[in-house]
Amino acid sequence: MTQHDDVREVIIIGGGPAGYTAALYSARAGLNPLVIEGVTWGGQLMITSDVENYPGYPDGVMGPTMMTDFRRQAERFGTEFVTDEVTKVDFSERPFRVWVEKDEYRAKSVIVATGASARWLGLESEQRLQGRGVSACATCDGAFFRDKPIVVIGGGDSAFEEALFLTRFGTKVTLVNRRSEFRASQIMVERAKAHEKLELLTPYTVEEILGDTSVTGVRVKHADTGETLDLEAAGFFVAIGHDPNTKLFVDQLDHDENGYLVTKPGSTATNIAGVFAVGDVQDHTYRQAITAAGSGCMGALDAERWLAEHEGPEHEG
Ligand code: NDP
């Protein structure tokens, strides 16, 4: 067990747009932040291709490039990083305590920015064939399916973005959605409909992913008639939304029925004074890099103000 002696002003848990923006602002405010950023730092943008809607990049930017820039900008003002996973937290008394395995860190304030993770369908075949044709990341794995048929599941912007990206590789891309209506924005749906390699198949659910050692096809079932259909596929991409990464916090911080942390309206404050939540971990509505970054900024300002108001030994413990 290693207890780090110093009590930090602020620890930020999570290294995505929200966490790095919180770090940038708190570093510039002289709070010497520590970001525990996870092993695969960068968050969901690390598995995104072109980001076309982040203001300031008129020609678009690759997600990993943007996150490397975010991180560098936070680092420039003195942010320190631990590239590992938080394994436990204790917010029951101050200073708050955060563990990375046997390393214990302490801080007067904590900003939770752990984001959300891709959801899976939960089929046995999906788990068995993961890395063998089943993927949740078109940017990472798309190139493996050059000149092969691909199936994408989902009807939101993520599914359409992945399907459009995958047309660069596949002979044909079939987007399968469980409803005939799509959640995705009109522009994405229109782009997909106009694409000669892309087919939209609705309303179908996935029965099974076919293949013994690698994906050979997908059995889908019509949501109304129950009729089944076998689609040929070498790649199977799941893009059905996300769940918040809140397992570490749900016994200590208020959350909604889906596990998203609840913050006070117009603020990033949680139910525990001195603990703040920013980005996708507390936002299931907007979930954009720009809104996550904005929320990270709010968290840093809230933490800074809170520290200024609560500084002093009489408030410790
Ligand atoms: P969404 O929640 O928007 O969409 C999820 C999709 O998956 C829905 O079509 C949903 O169907 C379907 N789905 C959910 N669970 C299952 C299941 N178990 N089986 C089958 N289908 C399922 O998630 P996204 O990740 O697409 O998008 C999240 C947010 O990020 C959105 O706000 C989106 O606009 C944004 N985004 C923006 C992008 C951009 O602007 N470039 C790119 C990517 C995302 P149903 O509708 O029936 O619930």
Side-chain angles (χ1 to χ4, degrees):
M1 171 79 69
T2 311
Q3 189 188 60
H4 296 263
D5 290 339
D6 51 330
V7 175
R8 298 246 167 198
E9 295 295 313
V10 60
I11 286 179
I12 296 159
I13 307 176
Y20 291 147
T21 306
L24 169 65
Y25 272 75
S26 44
R28 291 191 77 251
L31 298 177
N32 185 27
L34 176 73
V35 179
I36 307 179
E37 58 185 353
V39 175
T40 53
W41 60 269
Q44 293 174 60
L45 282 177
M46 298 305 269
I47 55 169
T48 303
S49 51
D50 295 334
V51 180
E52 294 180 340
N53 52 9
Y54 200 91
Y57 293 98
D59 302 318
V61 58
M62 296 300 281
T65 307
M66 188 162 96
M67 289 327 297
T68 307
D69 286 348
F70 265 60
R71 191 177 186 276
R72 274 182 46 216
Q73 196 171 351
E75 193 172 24
R76 183 178 150 205
F77 297 100
T79 301
E80 291 174 59
F81 302 91
V82 172
T83 309
D84 213 335
E85 310 291 334
V86 169
T87 47
K88 192 169 79 164
V89 296
D90 184 353
F91 298 154
S92 63
E93 55 180 13
R94 296 206 292 269
F96 303 121
R97 296 188 291 164
V98 176
W99 284 266
V100 174
E101 296 296 345
K102 291 192 179 333
D103 276 350
E104 182 189 325
Y105 299 88
R106 292 175 298 155
K108 295 177 192 169
S109 70
V110 171
I111 300 175
V112 177
T114 46
S117 295
R119 212 179 271 157
W120 296 94
L121 292 171
L123 300 168
E124 179 277 326
S125 49
E126 174 188 56
Q127 208 178 350
R128 181 167 49 81
L129 293 166
Q130 225 160 84
R132 295 168 174 180
V134 172
S135 170
C137 174
T139 324
C140 319
D141 301 326
F144 296 129
F145 307 104
R146 203 175 286 281
D147 301 327
K148 292 184 177 145
I150 298 171
V151 167
V152 177
I153 308 302
D157 281 326
S158 298
F160 278 83
E161 191 178 67
E162 302 245 316
L164 283 160
F165 175 74
L166 288 165
T167 58
R168 299 185 199 183
F169 307 105
T171 43
K172 178 183 175 187
V173 177
T174 309
L175 182 144
V176 178
N177 190 37
R178 64 182 177 185
R179 294 189 297 136
S180 297
E181 300 77 37
F182 298 110
R183 254 178 226 273
S185 47
Q186 197 58 32
I187 184 171
M188 295 293 250
V189 177
E190 271 159 23
R191 254 191 234 172
K193 280 185 176 160
H195 202 292
E196 53 175 12
K197 275 195 189 174
L198 224 165
E199 189 185 319
L200 307 179
L201 186 67
T202 68
Y204 278 90
T205 55
V206 179
E207 280 285 281
E208 198 185 345
I209 304 155
L210 308 172
D212 293 330
T213 51
S214 63
V215 174
T216 56
V218 184
R219 180 160 303 149
V220 294
K221 187 168 106 180
H222 194 283
D224 303 327
T225 65
E227 159 232 7
T228 60
L229 198 64
D230 286 357
L231 307 172
E232 201 194 336
F236 179 85
F237 289 83
V238 183
I240 59 168
H242 297 85
D243 290 315
N245 298 320
T246 48
K247 209 171 60 208
L248 288 170
F249 313 108
V250 284
D251 60 339
Q252 300 181 52
L253 298 178
D254 286 352
H255 55 88
D256 69 12
E257 68 278 10
N258 297 317
Y260 286 89
L261 300 184
V262 174
T263 50
K264 303 211 168 93
S267 146
T268 63
T270 67
N271 54 305
I272 295 182
V275 178
F276 304 88
V278 299
D280 286 14
V281 76
Q282 53 85 53
D283 167 29
H284 51 85
T285 309
Y286 302 106
R287 298 184 290 194
Q288 302 299 298
I290 183 70
T291 49
S295 162
C297 163
M298 288 167 63
L301 297 178
D302 287 345
E304 189 189 341
R305 282 180 198 145
W306 186 84
L307 285 163
E309 283 164 18
H310 293 80
E311 211 71 307
E314 72 276 18
H315 290 100
E316 296 290 346

